[in-house]
Amino acid sequence: MSGPDLDRYLSVRTASAGAHTADCSRVAFLTDVTGTAQLWSVPAGGGWPDQASFGGDRVLGLLPSAGDPRVVAFARDEGGNERAQLHVVAPDGTGERALSGDPDAIHRLGAFTPDGRWLLYCANNRDGVDFDLYRTAADGSGEAELIAKLDGWTSVADITPAGGHVLISLARSNVDSDLLLVELASGEVELLTPHEGEVRHLPGAITDDALYLTSDAEGGFLRAYRVDLATGEWRVIDDGDWDVEALAVRGGTGALGRNVDGMSRLELFDPATLVRSGEVDVPIGVIRDLAIAPDGQTLSWTLSGPRHNDDVWVSDDRGQRPRRLTRSSTAGLSPESFAEPDLVRVTSFDGLEVPAWVYRPGDRVDDARGPVPVVVSVHGGPEAQARPSFNAVQQYLVARGYAVVVPNVRGSTGYGRHYESLDDRRRRMDAVADLAAVGRWAGSQQDLDAGRIALMGGSYGGFMVLAAMSSYPELWAAGVDIVGIANFVTFLERTGAYRRALREREYGTLEEDRDFLAAISPIAHVDRIIAPLLVIHGANDPRVPLAEAEQVVDRLRELGRVVESIVFDDEGHGISKLANRRVAFGAAAQFLDRHAGRA
């Protein structure tokens, strides 16, 4: 099939994670303009950007110094192995130096002390599982100092303006988390959010007298609160029936982002009185990386929408005059040509309504006559949500003549704790039944072709592809599994030690649930997969090891089924390098065309 240029779509650039330097003169951000995410900076008023990090490996995060505008910290791994190492550099790219020295440990960026002298971070040097709190000199002198031993998956969320206490986020699972307060001088740890059962407490910000956080303890949705650190009194900032997904406070400015049926709204409030002061006018899409500059007035965020590739936005004077600070290239493609989705709800086997975004090719394809082939794209997680953000691969498939259906099966976030829990442990396969309902719905639509419905998904979405193909083989014409789980038992045995405890909360434990996990694993039913399958994986994947892909490919080949595989030696959990993305998604498009595409 001739059609759109894949390279153009994969060359649509993104920019994200914008954060102001200490003097507010520049904004540091990440962009993939070189093919892999790197650190850049741009004048806060707009202008020509400077590249600040270099090399073929991706930058995972950035943090400008709180006290020195000439310093930005960043984290970078090697070959996708997720063992992030910490570095500092000037915004113009000069003076880069390494701050961490253990290549086998994961280092998680945290916060600078207010004077900029120390960088605080969490790392799992001790045992590979637990992330302790460290500090290291920002100038690279001396050894890192252990501040406090901590248990579990922790990260530095914020530091008090006076610099005496550090706010720590502790995740026991994706649905159970707490906030801790660590005194820097003594290393003493205080639990700020004691609770029973599974409750999320997510950090917003901390001042010398108040903590700002979101929690789903009441009502099942993430609501925003202010906690008085002296009295312990909780006051609600927002108690709506949609998640508050972002919360930022600095000086006299408070901002929160709300997820309303997948779309973001950005609102302002007074941190002292908690009175709402208006809504920021932003285009339709998804907001993340919400931050307030050191001046306490300028907001920054990343916006991504169906017709807006990811860019850094800022607004001056507490939310006024929002503007795009970065202008990432659309590779010569008109944003108006990008498809906007419709939101539908599909009734599943038990009456549950499953939300799904539907992108249709419409008149974008010259030969769009009669029913079109379909790709059902399944998100990972499972604690995640498909939202109307920019996705180059999905847009490319639509331009190629496919309808793309992106469901939020049970277990997805964004619809409350009850919906999110409906796939836990022994109810895992109910989510796969939702996927089958989505496939049947697509097949019932007059403009969609019931005989040409394919599946595509990555990570947990890859498991969903394999599970649906082996449980409902008659529905699917083809499948593409990217870094997916084939066998829950071997996955839990071999995944990174730091992740196993987190994932067992969701899937079940090997000690108590081994037989069940084995029974629902796609590898146990792989003989029922009859549709052609393409498997894509990274050799360095620390989350879903390569053996998961090898199991299913080897078994299908033994059975004489149509199966193809691609393994990238320099990738981890996902395909991040542009050259590799060209290979992976070019192969995926051709595979779909052969087995599910337009004749």
Side-chain angles (χ1 to χ4, degrees):
M1 173 192 283
S2 62
D5 182 356
L6 172 63
D7 194 58
R8 288 265 184 163
Y9 281 84
L10 294 184
S11 296
V12 173
R13 300 310 188 194
T14 63
S16 62
H20 286 76
T21 56
D23 61 358
C24 293
S25 65
R26 298 187 72 83
V27 174
F29 64 98
L30 300 181
T31 178
D32 59 358
V33 68
T34 62
T36 305
Q38 297 295 331
L39 172 64
W40 291 60
S41 77
V42 64
W48 192 262
D50 290 318
Q51 186 172 353
S53 73
F54 300 84
D57 287 312
R58 61 184 177 175
V59 172
L60 301 170
L62 64 90
L63 179 70
S65 170
D68 189 344
R70 300 166 299 175
V71 174
V72 180
F74 67 94
R76 179 171 57 205
D77 73 352
E78 182 177 347
N81 65 9
E82 297 188 8
R83 293 194 288 271
Q85 305 299 308
L86 305 183
H87 308 258
V88 290
V89 69
D92 63 1
T94 59
E96 180 181 330
R97 54 189 180 274
L99 294 187
S100 57
D102 185 349
D104 295 322
I106 298 171
H107 302 78
R108 309 190 74 193
L109 274 175
F112 280 94
T113 53
D115 60 7
R117 181 182 176 191
W118 301 98
L119 174 64
L120 303 165
Y121 65 92
C122 289
N124 64 344
N125 306 65
R126 174 162 52 95
D127 58 11
V129 177
D130 300 306
F131 286 75
D132 300 324
L133 175 62
Y134 293 86
R135 74 175 182 182
T136 189
D139 63 5
S141 62
E143 298 293 325
E145 175 187 355
L146 175 65
I147 300 298
K149 289 185 177 181
L150 303 171
D151 295 327
W153 178 260
T154 66
S155 59
V156 175
D158 201 2
I159 186 170
T160 55
H165 294 81
V166 180
L167 180 65
I168 299 289
S169 177
L170 165 63
R172 294 186 173 86
S173 74
N174 286 353
V175 295
D176 188 16
S177 54
D178 274 310
L179 298 177
L180 314 174
L181 193 64
V182 179
E183 184 180 52
L184 277 180
S186 66
E188 181 179 341
V189 181
E190 176 186 357
L191 175 62
L192 297 176
T193 53
H195 68 277
E196 296 181 359
E198 292 185 331
V199 178
R200 284 180 293 176
H201 299 94
L202 304 179
I206 192 165
T207 66
D208 291 320
D209 57 4
L211 167 66
Y212 298 85
L213 77 156
T214 59
S215 171
D216 62 1
E218 299 291 336
F221 285 90
L222 286 169
R223 296 172 173 175
Y225 297 88
R226 180 189 190 275
V227 181
D228 189 298
L229 293 176
T231 66
E233 177 191 12
W234 286 54
R235 296 170 58 197
V236 66
I237 302 170
D238 178 274
D239 60 356
D241 285 338
W242 296 102
D243 282 343
V244 174
E245 60 184 347
L247 182 62
V249 173
R250 200 160 195 170
T253 302
L256 61 87
R258 189 198 311 275
N259 175 353
V260 180
D261 222 352
M263 293 172 283
S264 293
R265 292 180 182 171
L266 181 55
E267 303 174 12
L268 303 175
F269 66 94
D270 185 302
T273 66
L274 309 187
V275 173
R276 301 290 178 76
S277 55
E279 187 170 330
V280 182
D281 184 18
V282 296
I284 294 174
V286 178
I287 287 173
R288 64 183 192 276
D289 308 323
L290 179 63
I292 301 174
D295 63 11
Q297 297 188 22
T298 307
L299 275 64
S300 63
W301 63 88
T302 302
L303 175 73
S304 178
R307 292 182 172 175
H308 296 274
N309 48 321
D310 302 34
D311 262 316
V312 177
W313 287 63
V314 296
S315 65
D316 304 320
D317 192 18
R318 296 181 174 88
Q320 301 302 307
R321 300 182 299 279
R323 57 187 171 90
R324 243 172 90 190
L325 180 62
T326 60
R327 294 193 171 269
S328 299
S329 170
T330 58
L333 300 170
S334 169
E336 295 301 314
S337 72
F338 299 142
E340 290 188 320
D342 298 316
L343 180 61
V344 303
R345 285 178 165 80
V346 176
T347 302
S348 191
F349 68 96
D350 57 356
L352 184 74
E353 289 193 335
V354 175
W357 298 97
V358 182
Y359 297 79
R360 286 179 163 90
D363 58 3
R364 293 176 181 81
V365 181
D366 292 338
D367 60 345
R369 295 183 297 271
V372 299
V374 180
V375 175
V376 178
S377 179
V378 195
H379 69 67
E383 305 98 331
Q385 183 184 15
R387 304 179 64 183
S389 55
F390 185 81
N391 185 301
V393 174
Q394 291 175 4
Q395 292 289 349
Y396 170 70
L397 290 173
V398 172
R400 202 172 176 89
Y402 293 88
V404 178
V405 180
V406 193
N408 282 304
V409 298
R410 71 188 70 202
S412 301
T413 56
Y415 308 97
R417 190 193 311 135
H418 174 70
Y419 192 88
E420 187 175 342
S421 69
L422 289 177
D423 70 335
D424 289 354
R425 295 203 174 201
R426 300 293 170 129
R427 296 178 287 186
R428 180 69 41 209
M429 299 305 288
D430 287 351
V432 182
D434 288 347
L435 198 54
V438 171
R440 294 189 187 100
W441 173 89
S444 72
Q445 302 302 295
Q446 194 170 24
D447 61 332
L448 307 182
D449 192 332
R452 293 182 292 167
I453 303 175
L455 286 164
M456 175 183 286
S459 191
Y460 179 82
F463 156 75
M464 290 289 284
V465 168
L466 297 175
M469 292 180 71
S470 57
S471 298
Y472 305 92
E474 72 283 357
L475 289 177
W476 318 108
V480 180
D481 158 32
I482 305 171
V483 298
I485 300 167
N487 185 332
F488 276 114
V489 173
T490 55
F491 158 69
L492 289 172
E493 287 175 338
R494 298 169 181 171
T495 192
Y498 67 97
R499 289 190 57 80
R500 177 173 167 177
L502 287 174
R503 303 321 300 143
E504 285 189 329
R505 293 285 187 106
E506 168 74 22
Y507 301 136
T509 69
L510 291 177
E511 290 74 19
E512 298 177 1
D513 305 291
R514 179 182 287 266
D515 290 345
F516 171 74
L517 291 170
I520 67 168
S521 292
I523 195 67
H525 312 284
V526 70
D527 59 308
R528 298 193 66 209
I529 295 178
I530 56 177
L533 177 68
L534 171 63
V535 178
I536 301 171
H537 219 99
N540 300 323
D541 193 338
R543 301 192 186 194
V544 180
L546 177 60
E548 295 300 301
E550 293 172 333
Q551 289 180 66
V552 72
V553 170
D554 290 347
R555 184 68 183 119
L556 285 173
R557 284 176 175 164
E558 290 175 2
L559 292 167
R561 305 291 159 75
V562 177
V563 60
E564 301 177 21
S565 69
I566 303 172
V567 176
F568 294 99
D569 292 336
D570 57 347
E571 294 283 5
H573 193 62
I575 313 302
S576 65
K577 295 181 172 64
L578 178 58
N580 294 341
R581 288 172 60 80
R582 287 173 176 144
V583 172
F585 294 111
Q590 293 173 13
F591 177 85
L592 290 170
D593 284 351
R594 288 196 299 274
H595 301 292
R598 188 175 298 278

